[in-house]
Amino acid sequence: MSRTTKYIIAVVAAILFIIPASAQRRRINPIENPATRTQHISNKAKADTLDRTNIVEKTDSKGNIILIDTVTGKEVVDSTKIPTIPPMIYPLVNSASVSVNLWDPIMRVFGQKYGLVEFSGEFNMHNRYIPVLDIGFGKADNTPDGNNYHYRSPLAPYFRIGINYNFLYNSSPDYMAMAGLRYGFSPFSFSVNGTDTNSPYWQESDILQIPSQNVTVGYFAILFNLRVRISGPIYLGWSFSYHSILHESKTPYGKPWYIPGYGTRKSPISGAFSVTYTLDLSGRKKKHDRHLPGTEPVLPQIPPNGTGIETQSETQIQN
C-alpha cells in the first residue's frame, strides 16, 4: 500500500469520527442541577421514557408542555402538566321539575291590581344546564288613586322560554344558585274608560273612551334564582329579574300600562316565589350523593366478639 493511499484512509477515518461526535454535542443543551440528573419523565400512555438530562421543553398551540429529547429528537406530551377539567358527576338526563309561581297571588292579597298565576316546566341536564318553559295568565283591573280613569286588561296568556345555569352543578342538588335568560311574549288587549277632559276656556268637559286595543309585546329578562330542597322532592325558590321590552304593537291610543308576564311598564325589576316538584330521572341519585362531601354514611363498628357491645376494658386488652 502506497504512502498516499495510507494518508487518504487516515483522513477519511478522522472525518468519520469527528462529524458524529460534533453533531451530537451541538444538539445537547441541557440545564443540569442535582435534581435533573436523577429525574425521568414518563408518558405511560405511549410507554415512552425520557432522561431529564437530555430534554428541553416547549409549549404547543393548545398549551400542552412538549418534552424533546435533544439526542434522539423524540417528542412526548408531559402528562403530569396536562390541565384537567372537573368532571360533571350528574348524568345528562338528571331530573325534570314543575313549578308554580305564587308571587302574584300573594301580592294580590296585599292590594296589587294586576297579575294572576304562572307555571314552569324544567329539564335538568348534568345538574348544570336547565332549559325552562313558563306559561302563565295575567290580567289588570285598576283605578289609580287620585285619577279619574279605569284601566282594564282581560285575562290573557303569556309565554317565556329560556335556560338557567346552575353554578353549584357538582354540589348537592338540594341547593341551587342559578342565573338565567328568558324571551317572553304575550298577546293581550286593554281598554281605558272614564277619562275626563276639561276645557277651562269653553267651560266644557267630555269623557274620553279608549276602546279595546289588541297588542302583542315581546321582551327579554335576566334573572338570578336560589332554590332549596325542603322535604323529599319539594323545593322552594326565590328569584329576581330585570326585563326590557324588545318589540310591541303600535296603537293610535298609546302604549299599554300592564303587560302579562312582564308587569307594569315602568317597573323593570320583578320578583318570584315558587314551589317546585322535582322528579329524579337519573336512576343513580343515591350513587352520586355518596360521593358528595358530608353525605358518606356512618356504619356501626361490630367488635370481633359479635355482640355489638364493646367495653373500654375489652378495647384496651385488644390494643
Side-chain angles (χ1 to χ4, degrees):
M1 182 180 296
S2 65
R3 180 180 298 178
T4 302
T5 302
K6 293 180 179 179
Y7 178 76
I8 293 173
I9 293 173
V11 172
V12 172
I15 292 174
L16 294 176
F17 175 77
I18 293 172
I19 290 177
S22 61
Q24 180 170 330
R25 286 195 298 271
R26 285 196 298 271
R27 295 181 64 182
I28 297 177
N29 188 25
I31 300 176
E32 295 189 1
N33 55 51
T36 59
R37 285 194 294 268
T38 60
Q39 292 180 353
H40 290 74
I41 299 298
S42 176
N43 188 323
K44 296 181 179 181
K46 298 182 179 180
D48 293 331
T49 301
L50 298 178
D51 190 344
R52 172 67 76 172
T53 59
N54 296 326
I55 69 169
V56 293
E57 297 182 359
K58 73 174 183 179
T59 304
D60 65 6
S61 59
K62 297 181 180 180
N64 297 319
I65 303 300
I66 307 299
L67 305 177
I68 305 173
D69 191 319
T70 57
V71 176
T72 65
K74 183 184 298 183
E75 298 183 5
V76 298
V77 178
D78 188 353
S79 59
T80 63
K81 297 183 180 179
I82 297 177
T84 58
I85 301 175
M88 290 181 285
I89 65 176
Y90 293 93
L92 175 63
V93 181
N94 187 58
S95 64
S97 301
V98 177
S99 302
V100 56
N101 182 6
L102 301 178
W103 180 272
D104 280 345
I106 293 175
M107 296 304 296
R108 288 182 70 91
V109 172
F110 291 94
Q112 180 175 285
K113 302 299 182 179
Y114 58 87
L116 194 58
V117 68
E118 175 183 303
F119 301 93
S120 301
E122 303 177 359
F123 182 73
N124 187 312
M125 299 185 298
H126 293 303
N127 195 41
R128 188 175 188 177
Y129 309 106
I130 308 173
V132 182
L133 174 63
D134 301 328
I135 300 176
F137 298 91
K139 66 177 184 177
D141 194 349
N142 185 29
T143 302
D145 295 337
N147 292 278
N148 57 354
Y149 67 89
H150 177 73
Y151 181 94
R152 182 175 182 273
S153 179
L155 184 68
Y158 63 87
F159 309 90
R160 285 195 297 264
I161 187 170
I163 190 169
N164 289 340
Y165 179 86
N166 179 23
F167 296 99
L168 305 179
Y169 59 90
N170 271 354
S171 300
S172 171
D174 293 351
Y175 307 93
M176 304 177 73
M178 298 175 287
L181 295 174
R182 300 285 191 279
Y183 168 75
F185 71 95
S186 176
F188 64 100
S189 64
F190 73 95
S191 61
V192 178
N193 301 318
T195 301
D196 295 337
T197 57
N198 298 316
S199 174
Y201 182 81
W202 297 105
Q203 299 295 319
E204 294 179 354
S205 64
D206 193 10
I207 298 178
L208 176 64
Q209 303 284 344
I210 297 179
S212 179
Q213 303 294 305
N214 295 320
V215 295
T216 298
V217 177
Y219 57 92
F220 82 94
I222 302 173
L223 59 88
F224 181 75
N225 182 289
L226 295 175
R227 185 177 297 173
V228 179
R229 188 173 72 90
I230 301 302
S231 177
I234 305 300
Y235 292 73
L236 293 182
W238 300 262
S239 70
F240 296 92
S241 64
Y242 169 83
H243 37 68
S244 179
I245 295 174
L246 294 175
H247 59 85
E248 61 182 315
S249 304
K250 294 182 179 180
T251 72
Y253 299 98
K255 300 177 180 180
W257 169 72
Y258 166 74
I259 302 168
Y262 182 97
T264 59
R265 177 177 293 275
K266 296 183 179 180
S267 299
I269 298 177
S270 63
F273 172 71
S274 59
V275 178
T276 302
Y277 177 87
T278 298
L279 177 64
D280 176 44
L281 300 176
S282 66
R284 298 184 295 174
K285 183 177 184 296
K286 294 182 178 180
K287 178 181 179 180
H288 287 289
D289 287 350
R290 284 198 298 268
H291 296 285
L292 298 175
T295 60
E296 296 82 359
V298 178
L299 300 177
Q301 296 183 355
I302 300 177
N305 57 20
T307 61
I309 301 175
E310 183 176 7
T311 63
Q312 182 176 1
S313 60
E314 290 176 342
T315 304
Q316 293 175 351
I317 295 174
Q318 292 176 1
N319 294 335

